Amino acid sequence: MSYTKEEIHQIVLNQKEYFLKGETLPIRFRKQQLKRLKEAILKNEEKICDALYQDLGRCEVEAYFCDVGDVVMEINEYIHGLSRWAKPERHYSGLASFPSFTTKVYKMPYGVSLIISPFNFPILLSLGVLAASIAGGNTAIIKASSKSAACTQAMKEIIAETFPPEYAIVIDGGHDVADFCLEEPVDKIFYTGSPNVGKHVMEIASKNLVPVTLELGGENGNWCIIRKDANLKDAARKIAFFKICNSGQICININQVAVEKSVAKEFIEELKKAIIKQIGEHAHTNEEYPKLITRRAYDKIVEEAEHYKERIVFGGEGDPEKWKYDPTIIYPVDINEPIVNHEIFGPLLPIVEYEDSEIDKLLDTISRREHGLALYLFTKNMKWAKKVMQTQQYGGGCINEVCLHLMVKGVPFNGTGHSGMGAYHGVWGFREFTHPSTVLFGKTHMNLPLREHPYNQKKKKLLSSFLK
């Protein structure tokens, strides 16, 4: 179905009217809707997994691990924490507000939320964000990706069966429909995708002064640094898993690896062995290996690999009919080459050498580029690793691990600069979909006229002592 501008406008109007009735405000109502969403996902697990296979070639286990199970965990966290998070905060107003000593901060929903989700994790990054919106007390319009058509259709059916459209709805369509949505005066926008489109989202949102959350992949991609003291076999095993997962189409995936020169070749051999052990020497022939989202995405990877074909030390083959391209190691690559200066979003993995004596120079080069969504370090030197994690600019990351920071409950998932703004998951998602409203409870007796005209030296002195 293709939506017109008028149809989108009516959907927004209907949701605004529904929100104004106040039905989404009670915490009990929100929990009920979260439970309904969870039940709908579990009931349609097979349908969702089938759609993920159609769109991305995901096997059942990977589909559940990366999308279905993750959403269920997210919903559970909202259900269990919502009452505590939504409770108004009580604050002491201070002597300057005498005799009105009580102030409360209410966590208020924005209203109509617009969620624009990507193709790579079409369920998690749609319904997981929907859960945050529901927890915040909002209504929601999900503009799902046209690239992951099977998942979008499945979500349309599931949400339509679960909620009335004035409360939550999934719509499909291309960039024109997305722009129709963005041009509407919604109350909150949550976008996941590329930095370039993120700029477009902010530009249109600014016309209506709509608050925006952006989760972006990062302009220069995410770095992984391997020191010479690292456990190379362990690092290779984890990095291999990550590049195989979703065929590398992950916003927090490793874009390039910087390896200390003296262990670079040893690491590459371990990485080859790890890839072969997990998915086979020719991954594109393995039924469990996911595919790239479109033929265009496949051709883009092939074109970039062709440019570096003389330095491909593993992989470099694919199936243009199935849109599958092997995990491909490219070595050696200079830190200033094009492939390490943009987000690859696929199974190519350039390897950059550095000398241990120049680790600070490496970090300085990384810090001068656009901030990544993730940073990964492999080393036994925890003192150094902690220092790096506390001084670099990035969204989140791991030491001696990959991607699992995304799975930790109660902590924010976020980006900074070209990798995004805002944060969500758990309480952070609740905060992202609510705005704090401060309310002072005034007293009608014992009000001192200090703040009122006429002013004199005595009032000035008393006010000064109160405020200081």
Side-chain angles (χ1 to χ4, degrees):
M1 175 180 177
S2 181
Y3 292 85
T4 65
K5 186 178 179 67
E6 291 71 28
E7 287 170 331
I8 297 297
H9 180 66
Q10 192 58 53
I11 289 170
V12 174
L13 283 182
N14 292 344
Q15 291 213 353
K16 280 186 176 287
E17 286 300 315
Y18 182 75
F19 177 76
L20 290 173
K21 292 177 181 178
E23 293 187 20
T24 68
L25 298 181
I27 303 305
R28 183 179 179 183
F29 173 85
R30 301 184 208 182
K31 285 187 174 180
Q32 287 173 343
Q33 307 319 305
L34 287 166
K35 288 174 183 176
R36 290 181 69 187
L37 179 60
K38 177 183 172 181
E39 289 168 6
I41 292 168
L42 293 175
K43 176 185 172 183
N44 290 280
E45 181 183 329
E46 186 177 344
K47 183 177 188 175
I48 292 170
C49 288
D50 285 346
L52 285 165
Y53 181 78
Q54 288 180 56
D55 287 333
L56 292 155
R58 297 250 195 94
C59 66
E60 187 178 355
V61 174
E62 187 170 315
Y64 191 87
F65 178 71
C66 292
D67 270 273
V68 181
D70 240 10
V71 175
V72 172
M73 285 174 62
E74 192 77 6
I75 295 171
N76 285 339
E77 190 174 3
Y78 287 117
I79 292 170
H80 296 145
L82 183 55
S83 296
R84 184 172 70 257
W85 304 335
K87 188 177 180 180
E89 296 175 14
R90 188 184 180 96
H91 293 263
Y92 169 58
S93 305
L95 286 174
S97 303
F98 179 87
S100 306
F101 289 138
T102 301
T103 293
K104 289 190 177 182
V105 178
Y106 295 97
K107 288 70 176 286
M108 302 300 296
Y110 281 103
V112 178
S113 63
L114 171 62
I115 299 164
I116 304 178
S117 59
F119 70 83
N120 58 327
F121 290 94
I123 306 300
L124 173 63
L125 299 178
S126 297
L127 303 187
V129 182
L130 173 62
S133 176
I134 290 173
N138 305 277
T139 66
I141 299 166
I142 299 175
K143 166 56 184 76
S145 176
S146 58
K147 292 180 180 178
S148 47
C151 287
T152 295
Q153 184 59 35
M155 285 191 292
K156 280 186 73 172
E157 294 169 5
I158 292 166
I159 296 303
E161 291 167 3
T162 309
F163 303 117
E166 63 268 24
Y167 179 59
I169 188 172
V170 176
I171 62 176
D172 51 15
H175 298 306
D176 56 337
V177 175
D179 281 351
F180 294 158
C181 293
L182 287 168
E183 288 163 3
E184 288 292 322
V186 296
D187 302 296
K188 175 71 177 179
I189 295 172
F190 193 109
Y191 168 77
T192 305
S194 71
N196 283 338
V197 179
K199 294 175 187 176
H200 177 70
V201 169
M202 283 197 76
E203 182 182 1
I204 299 180
S206 69
K207 296 175 183 178
N208 290 314
L209 295 178
V210 180
V212 175
T213 302
L214 302 176
E215 288 298 337
L216 312 174
E219 196 76 27
N220 302 122
N222 308 311
W223 282 87
C224 174
I225 301 173
I226 301 176
R227 300 295 301 269
K228 65 180 178 181
D229 67 343
N231 183 325
L232 300 181
K233 187 173 183 178
D234 179 69
R237 172 189 171 190
K238 291 169 178 174
I239 293 168
F241 150 75
F242 210 10
K243 291 305 287 188
I244 291 167
C245 185
N246 210 33
S247 198
Q249 300 167 110
I250 306 175
C251 58
I252 57 170
N253 212 323
I254 295 166
N255 204 71
Q256 55 270 317
V257 177
V259 191
E260 207 285 322
K261 188 174 183 179
S262 65
V263 297
K265 291 181 180 177
E266 184 183 352
F267 166 72
I268 290 169
E269 289 307 309
E270 291 291 350
L271 184 57
K272 290 178 186 178
K273 287 189 280 187
I275 293 170
I276 292 169
K277 183 177 181 181
Q278 292 181 38
I279 204 70
E281 189 168 358
H282 304 287
H284 67 273
T285 65
N286 192 319
E287 192 63 27
E288 284 190 3
Y289 185 56
K291 65 180 180 179
L292 292 156
I293 188 65
T294 60
R295 176 61 189 261
R296 182 181 176 186
Y298 175 88
D299 289 343
K300 186 178 177 182
I301 292 296
V302 170
E303 183 182 349
E304 186 146 41
E306 180 68 18
H307 184 75
Y308 293 91
K309 63 181 180 181
E310 301 300 325
R311 285 178 275 172
I312 290 176
V313 295
F314 183 83
E317 296 180 5
D319 186 333
E321 300 303 318
K322 294 182 177 179
W323 307 344
K324 292 187 177 187
Y325 198 84
D326 291 345
T328 298
I329 304 170
I330 301 171
Y331 169 82
V333 176
D334 185 81
I335 198 168
N336 294 311
E337 291 191 60
I339 197 170
V340 293
N341 278 283
H342 74 93
E343 186 183 21
I344 297 169
F345 218 65
L348 307 183
L349 187 61
I351 307 291
V352 177
E353 286 185 342
Y354 72 92
E355 294 193 16
D356 198 56
S357 60
E358 296 189 342
I359 185 66
D360 290 339
K361 182 180 177 182
L362 170 69
L363 290 170
D364 181 67
T365 300
I366 293 171
S367 68
R368 291 177 185 276
R369 294 179 181 176
E370 301 298 351
H371 307 325
L373 184 56
L375 176 64
Y376 302 100
L377 308 177
F378 284 89
T379 180
K380 293 186 179 74
N381 188 341
M382 286 298 107
K383 184 178 179 180
W384 173 84
K386 289 176 183 177
K387 181 182 177 183
V388 171
M389 287 300 195
Q390 292 177 71
T391 53
Q392 291 290 308
Q393 292 290 323
Y394 58 98
C398 302
I399 301 170
N400 294 324
E401 190 49 272
V402 296
C403 81
L404 294 186
H405 63 294
L406 178 70
M407 308 287 287
V408 180
K409 300 297 114 181
V411 298
F413 178 72
N414 60 351
T416 177
H418 277 240
S419 59
M421 59 180 68
Y424 76 119
H425 288 185
V427 65
W428 299 87
F430 171 79
R431 291 171 183 166
E432 201 64 38
F433 279 94
T434 55
H435 63 92
S437 296
T438 298
V439 178
L440 182 141
F441 290 77
K443 297 289 186 181
T444 57
H445 302 288
M446 296 180 66
N447 285 283
L448 300 178
L450 289 175
R451 61 186 172 182
E452 300 164 7
H453 288 280
Y455 295 140
N456 54 41
Q457 287 301 315
K458 185 178 179 180
K459 281 189 177 182
K460 180 182 177 183
K461 190 174 181 180
L462 283 169
L463 276 170
S464 179
S465 64
F466 267 131
L467 296 174
K468 287 179 180 178

